[in-house]
Amino acid sequence: MRILGIDPGIGTCGFGLIETKSRADVRALDFGVITTTMNAPLPGRLLELYEGLTEIFTTCNPEVVSVEKLFFSKNITTGIAVAEARGLVLLVAAQNKIPVFEYTPNEIKKALTGYGAAGKPQMQEMVRVTLGLEKKPRPDDAADALAAAITHSLMKIS
């Protein structure tokens, strides 16, 4: 199964494509980020993100999408921007008729480390180990997207 993980964001949106045949057979096929023009008007940034997501979906040809659920902490302004980015992810998935599965940050952390409050370094190391990578995936948004994809593989693949 080809799973596309997405870590939504307006400035930087992470993506990670994995392929899995079983819980023990998981490998990274591609990962990276879509970036938008800083300080550009929001409609233009949303268009850049939409076009980038459309290209990723076309290139990666995923069977399912795994995306992080929206989590508001202290900065609601950032949360709103992430919600707008998530909306585009859901739209592009629907346009491509690809099912979307959503996981909270704590579900992702618990799936990878067994601990729902794991820190970023722990998460990145577990992504590296799970995928058999030589070094931790960079940037952080790409690692987070891979973590979302791995989470789906662990939750849905027997």
Side-chain angles (χ1 to χ4, degrees):
M1 174 179 285
R2 291 169 68 94
I3 305 168
L4 179 62
I6 302 282
D7 179 36
I10 289 289
T12 306
C13 181
F15 70 91
L17 180 69
I18 66 169
E19 184 173 66
T20 181
K21 294 181 171 108
S22 69
R23 287 176 155 250
D25 185 5
V26 182
R27 64 186 180 106
L29 299 179
D30 193 11
F31 59 89
V33 294
I34 301 164
T35 56
T36 62
T37 306
M38 191 181 241
N39 298 323
L42 181 60
R45 293 181 89 178
L46 290 170
L47 179 59
E48 288 179 60
L49 181 57
Y50 173 80
E51 290 170 344
L53 286 167
T54 300
E55 182 179 335
I56 296 296
F57 274 69
T58 301
T59 304
C60 291
N61 196 28
E63 294 173 62
V64 299
V65 174
S66 179
V67 65
E68 191 172 294
K69 278 187 184 176
L70 187 56
F71 174 75
F72 283 97
S73 59
K74 296 175 187 165
N75 189 343
I76 195 160
T77 303
T78 301
I80 291 169
V82 171
E84 291 168 333
R86 272 180 41 82
L88 288 177
V89 171
L90 300 178
L91 172 64
V92 175
Q95 288 176 327
N96 288 279
K97 297 176 178 45
I98 300 170
V100 176
F101 295 85
E102 301 175 88
Y103 301 98
T104 66
N106 284 353
E107 287 174 324
I108 294 171
K109 291 174 181 180
K110 192 168 185 179
L112 265 75
T113 69
Y115 179 58
K120 265 214 194 288
Q122 272 182 292
M123 290 296 295
Q124 291 169 345
E125 180 61 14
M126 288 307 298
V127 167
R128 185 194 72 73
V129 168
T130 301
L131 297 174
L133 302 173
E134 287 185 27
K135 53 188 173 179
K136 294 178 186 177
R138 296 276 185 229
D140 291 353
D141 304 280
D144 291 347
L146 287 167
I150 293 166
T151 296
H152 182 71
S153 75
L154 294 172
M155 300 287 209
K156 301 296 178 185
I157 307 293
S158 54

